[in-house]
């Protein structure tokens, strides 16, 4: 019996766990790593993909999330007023849960699913929720440090008439309209 118990203890003590454990990275390292640094109000959280394991086909788990923010102040990154942060569904993702809460976000541009590059963040990135009492002082002190490090904040815009998201559907419509007219003339 002692051998079985010893074997069990040794076997399970060498297995790795998959929980994320880390210390928050230092301020200057977070600033250097981040492609986007902003304070924004969380306006939407979406579950993007869910899958199941072959052993349990009826139980779904989320593999990717998106969190969309209305940016109020930005120190580093694009000029977009609305930013969506994407996250893998793993234990190291930052848990954006409180709609309308303000967050100080440090995000890196990374490849998601190997398809495109997008802002992402993780648990140890210094991203902080405004109303979290355990880190509220970090939220304010990081903003003071960011104001000191960046002489100006980025001027944001809400709408870009020539944005690619508007250009593609419009160009497809116009090409279709042009081809339709040429085809109609050729039939006559």
């Amino acid at each position: 019996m002692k051998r079985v118990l010893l074997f069990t203890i040794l076997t399970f003590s060498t297995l790795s766990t998959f929980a994320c454990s880390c210390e928050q990275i230092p301020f200057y390292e977070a600033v250097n790593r981040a492609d986007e640094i902003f304070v924004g109000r969380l306006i939407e959280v979406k579950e993007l993909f869910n899958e199941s394991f072959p052993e349990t086909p009826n139980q779904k788990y989320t593999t990717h999330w998106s969190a969309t923010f209305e940016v109020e102040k930005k120190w580093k990154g694009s000029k977009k007023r609305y930013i969506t942060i994407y996250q893998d569904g793993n234990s190291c993702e930052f848990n954006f849960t409180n709609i309308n809460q303000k967050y100080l976000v440090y995000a890196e541009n990374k490849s998601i699913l190997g398809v495109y590059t997008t802002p992402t963040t993780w648990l140890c990135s210094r991203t902080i929720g405004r109303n979290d009492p355990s880190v509220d002082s970090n939220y304010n002190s990081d903003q003071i440090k960011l104001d000191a490090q960046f002489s100006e904040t980025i001027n944001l815009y809400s709408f870009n008439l020539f944005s690619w998201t508007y250009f593609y559907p419009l160009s497809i419509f116009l090409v279709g309209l042009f081809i339709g007219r040429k085809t109609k003339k050729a039939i006559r």
Side-chain angles (χ1 to χ4, degrees):
M1 181 68 170
K2 288 182 181 179
R3 286 184 183 175
V4 171
L5 182 60
L6 182 62
F7 175 76
T8 303
I9 290 171
L10 290 175
T11 300
F12 288 107
S13 67
T14 60
L15 292 177
S16 297
T17 60
F18 294 103
C20 185
S21 171
C22 62
E23 290 186 28
Q24 195 176 65
I25 61 177
F27 173 77
Y28 291 106
E29 183 181 340
V31 169
N32 289 333
R33 289 177 74 168
D35 295 302
E36 300 274 350
I37 303 174
F38 63 89
V39 168
R41 182 176 61 87
L42 181 63
I43 58 175
E44 180 180 57
V45 176
K46 279 188 189 176
E47 176 183 36
L48 299 179
F49 306 109
N50 62 34
E51 298 177 6
S52 62
F53 291 109
E55 307 85 46
T56 56
N58 294 334
Q59 293 179 342
K60 300 279 186 188
Y61 68 95
T62 300
T63 58
H64 289 82
W65 293 90
S66 71
T68 303
F69 295 88
E70 180 179 16
V71 177
E72 294 179 3
K73 186 174 186 179
K74 186 178 271 192
W75 292 272
K76 189 174 181 183
S78 68
K79 292 185 175 193
K80 296 177 185 176
R81 179 164 304 278
Y82 296 93
I83 290 191
T84 301
I85 303 293
Y86 294 91
Q87 299 189 158
D88 294 330
N90 62 40
S91 63
C92 288
E93 71 183 13
F94 189 88
N95 192 9
F96 295 110
T97 55
N98 299 326
I99 300 296
N100 291 321
Q101 179 176 342
K102 290 183 184 179
Y103 289 87
L104 172 58
V105 178
Y106 294 81
E108 288 184 59
N109 290 331
K110 291 192 175 181
S111 177
I112 296 288
L113 302 174
V115 179
Y116 58 95
T117 302
T118 185
T120 64
T121 192
W122 73 103
L123 192 60
C124 310
S125 69
R126 292 191 74 86
T127 295
I128 306 167
R130 173 68 176 114
N131 297 329
D132 184 348
S134 65
V135 294
D136 201 29
S137 62
N138 286 352
Y139 181 93
N140 293 326
S141 69
D142 272 19
Q143 283 195 58
I144 292 167
K145 290 177 189 175
L146 288 165
D147 285 338
Q149 179 155 354
F150 296 93
S151 58
E152 294 181 20
T153 58
I154 296 173
N155 293 326
L156 304 172
Y157 60 82
S158 298
F159 178 75
N160 181 359
L161 183 60
F162 299 105
S163 172
W164 291 111
T165 40
Y166 301 109
F167 178 73
Y168 283 128
L170 180 62
S171 63
I172 290 170
F173 172 76
L174 292 174
V175 167
L177 187 63
F178 178 75
I179 291 172
R181 286 189 167 186
K182 289 288 184 182
T183 307
K184 193 174 183 180
K185 284 182 182 178
I187 294 175
R188 288 186 191 172

